[in-house]
Amino acid sequence: MKYTVEMSNKLNELLERTYDAEKGFKKAAEKVDHTTIKQFFMDRAKQRYNFGQELKAEIEAFGQNPDKGGSTKGTLHRSWIDFKLLFASNNEEAMLEEVHRGEKEAIETYNDILHDKEFVLPPSTESLLMKHRNAIRETLETANLFETTVS
């Protein structure tokens, strides 16, 4: 199966977003006092680190070079979290709302790649992306539960 440059670009973009999410979850964990939510954020940062390692290995398995670092968009997203924290009366609630937004975006990105008809994903890549997307859905559901607890 031919692994296209376009597919490599899409997976590298996903890898950048994964780096961004990892950094965002780490920063959120530093900012909250609620023990359970702090652990949730730390666990998700570790999960995204693992996702990044898996994506890099998948990209390399097809002879491509994985990108390093986070995206500009992600850097702006993390800055926005910092800005929001300055004005939020309930930090946990504000961060959970931001997690909700970010996770919905991540699911959309995964779906865009999984449903793109322009190329056929190798089975290993499709399986990996579906596993990540489903884990992100679980994160979204858990964040929603926390939101109802802290609001």
Side-chain angles (χ1 to χ4, degrees):
M1 180 176 294
K2 185 177 177 218
Y3 191 85
T4 65
V5 171
E6 182 187 359
M7 188 185 309
S8 177
N9 290 342
K10 284 182 179 274
L11 291 180
N12 270 307
E13 183 181 316
L14 192 57
L15 181 60
E16 286 183 2
R17 290 182 66 100
T18 300
Y19 291 144
D20 294 340
E22 177 191 353
K23 291 172 190 167
F25 279 122
K26 280 182 181 174
K27 185 172 278 297
E30 293 169 6
K31 302 281 186 184
V32 297
D33 296 322
H34 191 286
T35 308
T36 307
I37 296 173
K38 181 183 282 291
Q39 187 63 51
F40 170 72
F41 288 151
M42 289 189 312
D43 291 346
R44 291 316 172 274
K46 177 73 172 142
Q47 178 191 61
R48 296 311 157 83
Y49 172 82
N50 292 336
F51 285 3
Q53 296 304 306
E54 292 171 347
L55 284 167
K56 283 197 300 193
E58 188 70 14
I59 292 165
E60 289 169 345
F62 288 96
Q64 302 295 315
N65 293 320
D67 287 343
K68 309 278 192 266
S71 69
T72 304
K73 187 176 181 183
T75 302
L76 294 173
H77 180 68
R78 283 191 302 280
S79 298
W80 188 85
I81 289 174
D82 289 342
F83 177 76
K84 192 169 187 176
L85 287 175
L86 293 174
F87 300 101
S89 58
N90 182 337
N91 287 355
E92 281 97 1
E93 187 175 2
M95 281 186 279
L96 288 166
E97 287 173 10
E98 189 58 14
V99 166
H100 181 91
R101 190 189 68 71
E103 295 300 76
K104 283 178 73 173
E105 271 186 26
I107 290 168
E108 288 173 19
T109 302
Y110 275 89
N111 283 337
D112 288 348
I113 295 170
L114 286 164
H115 300 131
D116 191 329
K117 302 294 183 211
E118 291 187 29
F119 54 78
V120 177
L121 291 172
S124 61
T125 305
E126 183 177 15
S127 175
L128 181 66
L129 296 183
M130 289 173 70
K131 181 184 92 170
H132 289 183
R133 182 196 60 196
N134 294 341
I136 293 168
R137 281 185 180 149
E138 289 175 22
T139 297
L140 186 57
E141 290 169 14
T142 304
N144 287 341
L145 291 174
F146 281 136
E147 272 188 274
T148 58
T149 305
V150 297
S151 58

